Amino acid sequence: MKALPEVWGWIESENGKWTDLGLRMASETARLARLIGAQACGIAASQAKEAAAELKRCGIGKAYLLHPDDGDGRSLEAGEVLPGLAKMLEIWRPRCLLLPADSLGSEWAARLSLRCEADLLGEVVDYTMSKGKLQLRKNVYGGKAHSLFSLENEEFCILTVSLASLEKREQPVGEWETHLFSYTPEVQKIALEKVEPIHWSELSLNEAEVIIGVGRGVGRSWMEQIKRLAEAWNCPIGGSKVADESGLIAREYRIGASGKTVASHVYVAIGISGAPHHLAGIKDVKHLAVINPDLAAPIAENAEVVIGLPAEDVVSAILKILENRVEGVS
C-alpha cells in the first residue's frame, strides 16, 4: 500500500507544554492534511515528548521530535530549530510545511525556502480543492483583500498561515507515531550583544502594542504633553482625519477608513469623538480607553475605560504619576 503524503506543521512548545499557538497550528495542519488526503504530522522540540500524544486530539497522527545530540534534556534555542528542520527536509520531503505567519515563522520560511529550493507562499488564510488542485487564499494589500493561488504540481512547498485564521479544533485520531530526530546543532556565528528599544517616534502603527490616538479635542498647545506621555510609554501617536488635516500628526499616522487600520493591544483615544471612518480603523484593537469629557461620544460606546474629563487635566495627572513613580524608584 502506497504511503500517504505528509503535511508537516511546526508545533510550538514552552517548558514541555504546547502553547496556544502550537495547538492552533496542530489543528490547522490536520485540516489541510484531511483536505488533500495526507498524513498530518507535527514537528516539535523533543522536550515536549511527554505531551506529544495530546496532539492526537487536534488531529495529528505522527510527531517528529527534534533532539540535539550534544546534551540531555536541554531546551532548544530558537536558532537551533532551523538547522534541525533543514536536516529533516533533506531526508524527508513532505507535501507541505506549515509555519505561523509571525515574525519568526516568516523568517524561518524564507530561509528554508532558499535552502531547500522550495516554493513559498505567505499569509495564507484558507484552502479549497478545485478540479483536483489545491487552491490557497492569501492576504494582499495589508489584509484588505485576498488573492487566490493554485498549486500546479506535487512538489514540496512552504506555507505561512495568517495567525487570525488559526483556530483550535477537537478532531481526535486513533493511530499515533513518534519519531525522535537527533542532530548536531550548528555553531552560532552571530551572538546577540544587546537589545535596544525603538524610539517611540520611529515606531510604526503596525508594530506598536500601545498607540495614543489624538483628535479634534486636543489643542495644538497640548501636543508637547502628549509627546511626553508617548515617550514615557514608548508608543507612537496616531490620530483621526481631523488631527492629520490640522497638522497634529503626520499623514502616515492617520487612522481610519482613509488611513491605516490598527490592531494594537491598547489604544488610548484622546479627544476623539469617534466618526465612523475612524472607528473602522480601530475595529481590531484589543482594548480601547477613551479620554473625552463628552460621555455621549460614539467612541465611548466601544470603550472598556472612559475618563470623562478634559484631556489636558488627565494627561497632566498621568504624567505626574509617572514622574513620581520614577522619583520613588531612584
mmCIF file of all heavy atoms in Angstrom, residues 319-330:
data_model
loop_
_atom_site.group_PDB
_atom_site.id
_atom_site.type_symbol
_atom_site.label_atom_id
_atom_site.label_comp_id
_atom_site.label_asym_id
_atom_site.label_seq_id
_atom_site.Cartn_x
_atom_site.Cartn_y
_atom_site.Cartn_z
ATOM 1 N N LEU A 319 1.073 62.074 33.742
ATOM 2 C CA LEU A 319 2.498 62.404 33.729
ATOM 3 C C LEU A 319 3.032 62.603 35.148
ATOM 4 O O LEU A 319 4.144 62.180 35.471
ATOM 5 C CB LEU A 319 2.735 63.668 32.890
ATOM 6 C CG LEU A 319 2.602 63.499 31.371
ATOM 7 C CD1 LEU A 319 2.680 64.855 30.688
ATOM 8 C CD2 LEU A 319 3.689 62.578 30.825
ATOM 9 N N LYS A 320 2.226 63.225 35.979
ATOM 10 C CA LYS A 320 2.655 63.446 37.359
ATOM 11 C C LYS A 320 2.835 62.120 38.097
ATOM 12 O O LYS A 320 3.809 61.918 38.831
ATOM 13 C CB LYS A 320 1.629 64.317 38.081
ATOM 14 C CG LYS A 320 2.076 64.760 39.467
ATOM 15 C CD LYS A 320 1.097 65.758 40.065
ATOM 16 C CE LYS A 320 1.577 66.235 41.438
ATOM 17 N NZ LYS A 320 0.649 67.231 42.033
ATOM 18 N N ILE A 321 1.894 61.187 37.864
ATOM 19 C CA ILE A 321 2.007 59.873 38.490
ATOM 20 C C ILE A 321 3.269 59.163 38.005
ATOM 21 O O ILE A 321 4.000 58.567 38.809
ATOM 22 C CB ILE A 321 0.752 59.030 38.169
ATOM 23 C CG1 ILE A 321 -0.476 59.611 38.884
ATOM 24 C CG2 ILE A 321 0.958 57.572 38.574
ATOM 25 C CD1 ILE A 321 -1.781 58.993 38.449
ATOM 26 N N LEU A 322 3.509 59.225 36.714
ATOM 27 C CA LEU A 322 4.698 58.562 36.157
ATOM 28 C C LEU A 322 5.979 59.173 36.691
ATOM 29 O O LEU A 322 6.939 58.473 36.994
ATOM 30 C CB LEU A 322 4.657 58.634 34.630
ATOM 31 C CG LEU A 322 3.550 57.837 33.935
ATOM 32 C CD1 LEU A 322 3.533 58.131 32.450
ATOM 33 C CD2 LEU A 322 3.733 56.337 34.174
ATOM 34 N N GLU A 323 6.010 60.497 36.796
ATOM 35 C CA GLU A 323 7.207 61.173 37.303
ATOM 36 C C GLU A 323 7.446 60.802 38.764
ATOM 37 O O GLU A 323 8.589 60.557 39.168
ATOM 38 C CB GLU A 323 7.047 62.680 37.157
ATOM 39 C CG GLU A 323 7.164 63.146 35.704
ATOM 40 C CD GLU A 323 6.680 64.578 35.523
ATOM 41 O OE1 GLU A 323 6.300 65.206 36.534
ATOM 42 O OE2 GLU A 323 6.708 65.081 34.384
ATOM 43 N N ASN A 324 6.413 60.769 39.584
ATOM 44 C CA ASN A 324 6.553 60.398 40.990
ATOM 45 C C ASN A 324 7.041 58.974 41.145
ATOM 46 O O ASN A 324 7.825 58.648 42.035
ATOM 47 C CB ASN A 324 5.231 60.563 41.727
ATOM 48 C CG ASN A 324 4.835 62.025 41.894
ATOM 49 O OD1 ASN A 324 5.696 62.909 41.810
ATOM 50 N ND2 ASN A 324 3.556 62.290 42.125
ATOM 51 N N ARG A 325 6.569 58.099 40.220
ATOM 52 C CA ARG A 325 6.991 56.703 40.285
ATOM 53 C C ARG A 325 8.480 56.580 39.965
ATOM 54 O O ARG A 325 9.200 55.835 40.614
ATOM 55 C CB ARG A 325 6.173 55.881 39.272
ATOM 56 C CG ARG A 325 6.416 54.386 39.371
ATOM 57 C CD ARG A 325 5.452 53.641 38.469
ATOM 58 N NE ARG A 325 4.081 53.818 38.904
ATOM 59 C CZ ARG A 325 3.022 53.416 38.203
ATOM 60 N NH1 ARG A 325 3.201 52.832 37.027
ATOM 61 N NH2 ARG A 325 1.797 53.608 38.649
ATOM 62 N N VAL A 326 8.949 57.348 38.981
ATOM 63 C CA VAL A 326 10.367 57.323 38.638
ATOM 64 C C VAL A 326 11.204 57.857 39.788
ATOM 65 O O VAL A 326 12.251 57.311 40.151
ATOM 66 C CB VAL A 326 10.634 58.149 37.348
ATOM 67 C CG1 VAL A 326 12.122 58.316 37.123
ATOM 68 C CG2 VAL A 326 9.985 57.475 36.157
ATOM 69 N N GLU A 327 10.745 58.948 40.428
ATOM 70 C CA GLU A 327 11.478 59.518 41.555
ATOM 71 C C GLU A 327 11.550 58.529 42.704
ATOM 72 O O GLU A 327 12.563 58.387 43.372
ATOM 73 C CB GLU A 327 10.802 60.809 42.014
ATOM 74 C CG GLU A 327 10.964 61.961 41.019
ATOM 75 C CD GLU A 327 10.166 63.193 41.433
ATOM 76 O OE1 GLU A 327 9.546 63.137 42.520
ATOM 77 O OE2 GLU A 327 10.166 64.180 40.700
ATOM 78 N N GLY A 328 10.455 57.799 42.929
ATOM 79 C CA GLY A 328 10.432 56.825 44.006
ATOM 80 C C GLY A 328 11.414 55.692 43.779
ATOM 81 O O GLY A 328 12.060 55.218 44.710
ATOM 82 N N VAL A 329 11.539 55.283 42.501
ATOM 83 C CA VAL A 329 12.468 54.205 42.178
ATOM 84 C C VAL A 329 13.903 54.654 42.344
ATOM 85 O O VAL A 329 14.766 53.932 42.830
ATOM 86 C CB VAL A 329 12.221 53.717 40.722
ATOM 87 C CG1 VAL A 329 13.322 52.763 40.296
ATOM 88 C CG2 VAL A 329 10.865 53.064 40.612
ATOM 89 N N SER A 330 14.192 55.899 41.924
ATOM 90 C CA SER A 330 15.552 56.397 42.028
ATOM 91 C C SER A 330 15.968 56.597 43.474
ATOM 92 O O SER A 330 17.114 56.498 43.808
ATOM 93 C CB SER A 330 15.683 57.697 41.245
ATOM 94 O OG SER A 330 14.846 58.693 41.788
#
